Amino acid sequence: QVQLVESGGGLVQVGGSLRLSCAASGGTFSSRATGWFRQAPGKEREFVAAISKSGGNTYYAESAKGRFTISRDNAKNAVYLQMSSLKPEDTAVYYCAAHKVPLAAVTYVPRISSEYDYWGQGTQVTVSS
């Protein structure tokens, strides 16, 4: 019911910033918490940040805390990830995802990949050193 398309990735130097966007189609986006995950070459997919369906609650991986900001605009069916102070270890394909449970509490922030049922195709972020 939900289709997600990421954009905004690219090549940036250490210390730079990027703003990733995720456009959603489907009428249930605003009813689902959303998150960002990333996967570097040869590594497993890891959690980056998540936001509740209302946008009032967020959670960040320790690696992202203080540098990344997740936000959403339900009127636009979009979720964003503002990244700053980028490091080479941030290099990865970034995926946005929508929670599998639309009836979850409005404050709930899922942190595990298995809690998400809809995924975008990913956008590449490369931080050069």
Side-chain angles (χ1 to χ4, degrees):
Q1 292 183 319
V2 180
Q3 294 183 340
L4 307 171
V5 180
E6 301 95 336
S7 63
L11 176 65
V12 64
Q13 295 192 63
V14 171
S17 300
L18 279 176
R19 184 175 187 254
L20 306 183
S21 298
C22 178
S25 60
T28 62
F29 175 76
S30 63
S31 298
R32 303 173 185 270
T34 56
W36 287 94
F37 292 78
R38 68 187 182 187
Q39 186 168 17
K43 295 186 177 181
E44 296 295 321
R45 181 175 54 191
E46 66 174 342
F47 171 80
V48 177
I51 188 167
S52 62
K53 63 175 67 176
S54 68
N57 303 83
T58 59
Y59 192 84
Y60 298 90
E62 288 299 314
S63 61
K65 190 177 299 182
R67 299 189 300 126
F68 294 3
T69 300
I70 187 171
S71 62
R72 68 187 296 161
D73 187 338
N74 287 339
K76 296 181 179 179
N77 280 352
V79 61
Y80 309 97
L81 184 68
Q82 177 66 50
M83 306 186 294
S84 62
S85 300
L86 285 164
K87 307 173 182 178
E89 51 263 45
D90 293 319
T91 296
V93 175
Y94 284 71
Y95 300 89
C96 66
H99 191 209
K100 65 191 301 182
V101 185
L103 297 180
V106 296
T107 58
Y108 187 65
V109 183
R111 310 173 191 177
I112 309 298
S113 61
S114 61
E115 295 187 272
Y116 294 84
D117 199 39
Y118 300 94
W119 298 83
Q121 84 290 346
T123 185
Q124 177 71 48
V125 172
T126 302
V127 184
S128 64
S129 60

